[in-house]
Structure formats: C-alpha cells, structure tokens
Amino acid sequence: MSIKNNIFEIINSLPAHVTLIAVTKTQPVEKLEELYDTGHRLFGENKVQEMVDKHEKLPKDIQWHLIGHLQTNKVKFIAPFVSLIHSVDSFKLLQEINKQATKNNRIINCLLQIYIAEEESKFGLSYAEAEQILNSIELTELKSIKIIGLMGMASNSNCKEIITKEFHQLNNFYNKHQNLTTNNINFSILCMGMSNDYVFALQNGSNMVRIGSKIFGERQNAFR
Ligand SMILES: *Cc1c(COP(=O)(O)O)cnc(C)c1O
C-alpha cells in the first residue's frame, strides 16, 4: 500500500468533523514530500529539532503540530511557525510559549495534555492540575496563547475496556469545560486517538486524531 492509498482510506473512514494529523516523526523528508503531494497539510512531529529541520526543507504551507513533550528552553525554536502545540503539561511551559509568541507577534494555539493512561511513562497533567490552570487568574494575563482544547494518550493496551474508559473520562472533562470561555480559553478540539485506538477515541468524542504508522507503516524505532 502507498502513503496515498493509506491516507485516503483513513480520511474516507473519518467523520467529516474529525481532523487528521499525519504523524511524520522519524520519517525521512522524501516520505513527507510524498504525503504533501497527496494534498495533506497537517503534519505532527514529536521532537523540536526534527520539526525545525523538516520545516526548513519543506513547503511553507504545511501546518506543523508539536505532539511530543516540549522543554521550555526549546519553545523559541518552534514559536515562529508552530500551528498547534498538543503537549502543554505545565503552567511554566505556557508562560514560556506566551513569551515566545509575543516576541514573534503571534498567538500560539495550545492543547493541555492530560495524563489519562495507567502507565508511568506518559507526560501530562492530572485532571486536578488542568482544572487549576484553567481557573487561574495568572492564565488570563497570557495574551499571546490560546487554549483551544485537550489532548490525551490512552494506555498502550489491547484491552478495549481500559482504553474506552480513559477516552470516556477525558471526553467528560472536555464537555464540562466547553463553556468555560475566557480571553484565552475556547475549547473546540478534543485530540485523542492513534493508529491502534482511534476507532475507540472517535466513539468517545474525539475530533482530532494523530496517526502515523497506519499511514507510513511501522516505525523502525518502536520507542519513537
Ligand atoms: C507517535 C505518536 C502518535 C502516532 O502513533 P501511531 O501509532 O504511529 O499512529 C500519536 N501521538 C503521539 C503523541 C505520538 O508520539
């Protein structure tokens, strides 16, 4: 199967209101060009340096989504062009994104990443921590960011019940905050679902999915 066939098959299977982020991490630039030629423009990367390098080499109408853990000292490298940061997991990081967005004269859209899995290894905020950020007075002072929704990764499990429970809880939390509109909060995106679990994510309210291996085939390094 080609990249083109794979992506068309996925897009055709998604409801119209669902946005597909093609996860291009670890793929060489030639594969990204092949993807670009299908007309797709939403690319997701999980490492800052890799995203910066690929951004330099590829056409400028690609929208780059940062889906992996972001260190505060690296925000400056992506601030000029990033389209959406999925992985906000601290207020300190939001402050730095705000600072760099201001420097670049832009407003940077962000998702709060919520820790929904049972495993230890995933980054993200607890529901309580997210609640605290969303309700903080300090947040209202960040004029150059916008929190437009939530992101979560389910447990790496074959158990449908576990995955469904995790997506369902995040959906509930999302729904609870959908009307919490402020100067810089306005939810419209619930980003859940990867190649192996997006079907369950869609059943539980996801409207943005991040899919890599189903488009490109299995990655060489399973840890990335
Ligand atoms: C790698 C990655 C994906 C895509 O994973 P696939 O299983 O290849 O679809 C989605 N989200 C994040 C945060 C990732 O790091």
Side-chain angles (χ1 to χ4, degrees), residues 104-115:
N104 285 278
N105 229 329
R106 22 185 337 235
I107 292 182
I108 296 183
N109 289 328
C110 298
L111 304 178
L112 295 184
Q113 181 175 355
I114 312 288
Y115 177 91

Side-chain angles (χ1 to χ4, degrees), residues 91 94-95 98 132-147 180-185:
F91 187 70
L94 264 186
Q95 285 176 304
N98 183 67
Q132 201 172 16
I133 290 176
L134 291 169
N135 292 310
S136 70
I137 303 286
E138 291 85 355
L139 180 64
T140 61
E141 288 158 15
L142 308 184
K143 313 278 190 225
S144 303
I145 57 112
K146 206 165 206 103
I147 299 177
L180 176 74
T181 303
T182 69
N183 64 315
N184 57 11
I185 304 173

Side-chain angles (χ1 to χ4, degrees), residues 23 25 67 151 153 194-195 210-213 219 224:
V23 176
K25 64 184 184 191
I67 61 172
M151 185 272 250
M153 289 169 84
M194 319 187 355
S195 295
R210 306 173 310 275
I211 295 181
S213 41
R219 282 176 297 279
R224 300 185 60 195

Side-chain angles (χ1 to χ4, degrees), residues 3-223:
I3 289 174
K4 186 174 175 176
N5 286 339
N6 291 346
I7 197 157
F8 284 167
E9 195 171 295
I10 295 166
I11 287 173
N12 287 334
S13 78
L14 295 174
H17 70 279
V18 175
T19 303
L20 170 65
I21 307 304
V23 176
T24 51
K25 64 184 184 191
T26 78
Q27 303 299 336
V29 165
E30 303 78 64
K31 296 273 183 187
L32 275 67
E33 283 167 343
E34 205 178 321
L35 176 68
Y36 183 88
D37 289 340
T38 70
H40 198 73
R41 294 293 180 266
L42 308 179
F43 289 26
E45 286 283 338
N46 70 335
K47 290 200 157 59
V48 166
Q49 191 56 53
E50 193 173 334
M51 188 164 110
V52 168
D53 290 346
K54 287 172 173 173
H55 169 258
E56 272 169 22
K57 291 182 182 138
L58 288 160
K60 294 298 169 277
D61 60 343
I62 292 171
Q63 294 179 35
W64 294 94
H65 289 232
L66 199 276
I67 61 172
H69 182 64
L70 177 58
Q71 290 170 278
T72 45
N73 62 353
K74 293 193 175 163
V75 175
K76 56 179 179 286
F77 301 119
I78 59 169
F81 67 90
V82 69
S83 171
L84 177 63
I85 298 175
H86 291 226
S87 45
V88 173
D89 59 1
S90 73
F91 187 70
K92 196 176 109 221
L93 179 58
L94 264 186
Q95 285 176 304
E96 179 63 16
I97 296 168
N98 183 67
K99 183 174 146 195
Q100 298 300 335
T102 308
K103 270 193 194 165
N104 285 278
N105 229 329
R106 22 185 337 235
I107 292 182
I108 296 183
N109 289 328
C110 298
L111 304 178
L112 295 184
Q113 181 175 355
I114 312 288
Y115 177 91
I116 61 173
E118 283 180 358
E119 302 137 37
E120 292 291 314
S121 63
K122 303 242 159 75
F123 292 101
L125 299 157
S126 68
Y127 287 114
E129 289 166 336
E131 189 96 53
Q132 201 172 16
I133 290 176
L134 291 169
N135 292 310
S136 70
I137 303 286
E138 291 85 355
L139 180 64
T140 61
E141 288 158 15
L142 308 184
K143 313 278 190 225
S144 303
I145 57 112
K146 206 165 206 103
I147 299 177
I148 61 170
L150 305 171
M151 185 272 250
M153 289 169 84
S155 293
N156 188 5
S157 163
N158 292 323
C159 176
K160 179 178 179 250
E161 284 72 31
I162 292 177
I163 295 170
T164 297
K165 187 185 93 201
E166 292 167 356
F167 286 147
H168 183 72
Q169 283 173 351
L170 187 54
N171 189 23
N172 282 346
F173 187 81
Y174 177 84
N175 288 337
K176 204 173 123 196
H177 293 85
Q178 235 185 342
N179 297 321
L180 176 74
T181 303
T182 69
N183 64 315
N184 57 11
I185 304 173
N186 193 353
F187 279 13
S188 61
I189 294 177
L190 177 56
C191 182
M192 317 188 287
M194 319 187 355
S195 295
N196 290 331
D197 60 18
Y198 76 95
V199 172
F200 307 120
L202 293 177
Q203 289 166 359
N204 288 281
S206 171
N207 59 22
M208 182 179 277
V209 293
R210 306 173 310 275
I211 295 181
S213 41
K214 220 175 148 81
I215 297 171
F216 293 103
E218 293 298 327
R219 282 176 297 279
Q220 297 301 318
N221 183 342
F223 289 101

